[in-house]
Amino acid sequence: MNTVRSLLRRDAGYAALRRSVRAAIVAPGLFALTRAMTDSPVVPLFAAFGSIGLLLFVEFGGPMRDRLAEQGALIVTGAALISLGTLVSREVWLSTAATAVVAFLVLFSGVVSSALAGASTSLLVSFVLSTTLPGTVDAIPDRLAGWGLAGVASLLAIRFLWPSPVREPLRTATASACGALAAQLRAEADCVLRGFVSADRRALGSVVDEAQDAVTSLRDTFFATPYRPTGLSTSTRVLIRLVDEVLLLATILDRAPVGEKVGPTDAIVCGVKTAASDLLQASAELLAATDDPDPGGLAPLQQRLVQARSTMENAVTAFRPMTATGQERSPADGRGERTATGFVSSLEPSFRAQEMSFAVSAIARNVDLILTARRRTVWQKITGRRPEGAASTLASAQERAGAHAERHSVWLHNSVRGAISLALAVLVAELSGVQHSFWVAFGTLAVLRSSAVLTGQNSLRAIAGTTAGIIVGGGLIYLIGSNTTFLWILLPVAVLFMGFAPATISFAAGQAGFTVSILILFNLLQPTGWTVGIVRIEDVAIGCAVSVVVGLLFWPRGAASVLGHALAEGFSESSRYLRSAIDYGVTRCDGLVRTAPVPDAERYRAAGAARRLDDAFRGFLAERGTKHLSLTDVTTLVTAVAVLRLTADAVLDLWERETPSAADRTAARAEIDRAGDVLVTWFETTAQALTGVGEVPEARLKDTEADERLIGAVERDLDDEQSRRSSTAIRVVWTADHIEAARRLQQGVLSPARAVARLQREHNARTRLFRPS
């Protein structure tokens, strides 16, 4: 009893048990029904494999309506692949080429949707089974009949047999984090406005701890999701962007804790925090609601935040770098109390509020977009009508696929490896004349469930599980003999174990259950005893060997090495995007130069690098064995890449809302350009070190003299009594603050980056003998 409880605790929400129970009922029942209905062995075979593939190898999430629609699309696509596989099955060269193309398309298409990624094994099972069992056009109806019956049975099982509750853990965790951060903003404002009394300070500490726990839970939930691209629908695409923005907001609040020093703009800053807290709390409540409410209530709160931010921007220009006597400060004036550095410091709270309000506004816009998209009618979704501001499904799919059409992409590696492995498996099976060629392909398919960097390990477990299954299944069949009654009794138990074991015991145990189930199925179709097992272990071993050889030849790097290259690319592209955003801003503030173009290309490349980094990070998390990198260090680097990219978004948003200026601000532009160049140089040098070339440089210290020069460059604008030029000048200073915020990342990045760089150099030294000179 304790063992059962322990196994059930490993199965969160009983997801594996639900799938297994459905398959244990449907697969044997449909197998028996089709055997009674027809003398053809093809219909029962495809019905049984179809039931297993459609109920055990895939499970869609979300509302029941969406699950049934996605399951229906999977059934139709599988039927098309069965027809295609049958048509090419009689010619070796044709079946090999078709397998390579179909496998690559199926595996790579998962990059645009987790629904496609999760269904890839089921789709490949339908194609592999049909292409490795030679048949003519006349065989297609029987094969489709078996698959179709399995499809109908799977729809009924999903809907009525212990249906899974609607669970959207990522959305729930995001809503919780938004609510906790809203409470932190409210507590910070209350603490300042009430004069930092002891009760408020204690309450603030408690609220901050709760917010950090909620953000940590969100991060854990996000990285525990097998695939980052969660779907092709608008709402699921936007949810991923929303997670990044919530993590950015948490980073902003972490690096700007509330101090007890009261400044002249604190009351106005608290007004911005209060407005942001109200907007964020309303967004959290709407996101957490299960009935997809109308997001119209966010508009007035959004407008209130914009007004509070505008009031703050106007107010901070009243505090100019003047002397204590109210006269303009001069370098020789020793009486000045408000130096340039002091003035920059006085702008710090307003900049943090502006930065924070940008993140909260972006979160609210995306929550509005998610809810608006989900409230569309079925017809609006089918016809592709999308909410204003959302990219089209086709454009989003093209963007995601384009991001991974790059030689360092782990997803591309896995897709090419899978295509070559399955094609070679089909070719080897046909040329070697094995008794059941589809077992060779299935052996390869079992290994392909792993990443390109884990091939060897999963192949050993696959063969170990298969061997155990042969021993157990062969022994059962030997003891039972020709008594098929016991085989019918054991079949549901074997199917149940096949689905439940991988999630609660081990991958090898699942393979053993799979082997026993198939042995029983074949002995019910064509009683041949334990010899089926001997044939299968030989065939599966051939398939596993093919996949291992392909994996070793093409991508012998480990997950840590892949992660190092992905981090390097992420830092490089994100810092370049930030530099381009800065260029765009400072050229809009200076009327003597031509305005730089909006950095759309740089933004696209940075987003693509972020997606590839995410895949590499998930591969690193999935890799078993000793990890020579601290998970905390790796997470710090991954988060820093996201913060750099979103900081560039913030700079772009800051200047897109500003009318281009005709004034001469050459000196201010030169200071910002200099700071941007220094920042990008540091991150690009660090990126190169992460590939194993060079060293990570020391973190750059704050240049206080640059602050003096910048204030001197914009001081005349700040003293503009009509505030015609002061708004632009404040944005110049805030741009410098964004650069300073990115510079502060260097200290946290330094130690983890050096650890990754050291491992990368060691890896390069080990593999140098295998590289061309």
Side-chain angles (χ1 to χ4, degrees), residues 660-679:
S661 173
D664 177 7
R665 294 190 177 85
T666 303
R669 177 169 52 83
E671 289 299 327
I672 299 295
D673 281 338
R674 185 181 299 111
D677 287 340
V678 170
L679 177 73

Side-chain angles (χ1 to χ4, degrees), residues 672-752:
I672 299 295
D673 281 338
R674 185 181 299 111
D677 287 340
V678 170
L679 177 73
V680 172
T681 299
W682 190 91
F683 277 108
E684 288 190 333
T685 304
T686 299
Q688 190 175 27
L690 292 174
T691 66
V693 179
E695 299 284 346
V696 177
E698 291 291 339
R700 303 283 302 198
L701 298 177
K702 180 178 175 62
D703 186 354
T704 55
E705 293 182 358
D707 290 341
E708 298 276 353
R709 293 193 300 268
L710 181 62
I711 290 300
V714 299
E715 191 169 9
R716 182 184 60 184
D717 293 336
L718 293 170
D719 287 338
D720 176 28
E721 295 298 336
Q722 285 75 37
S723 297
R724 288 192 299 261
R725 300 185 304 269
S726 58
S727 176
T728 301
I730 290 296
R731 280 177 166 75
V732 170
V733 176
W734 279 347
T735 301
D737 284 334
H738 278 298
I739 297 173
E740 171 62 15
R743 184 201 65 79
R744 291 178 185 175
L745 288 174
Q746 296 174 5
Q747 195 61 48
V749 163
L750 190 61
S751 177

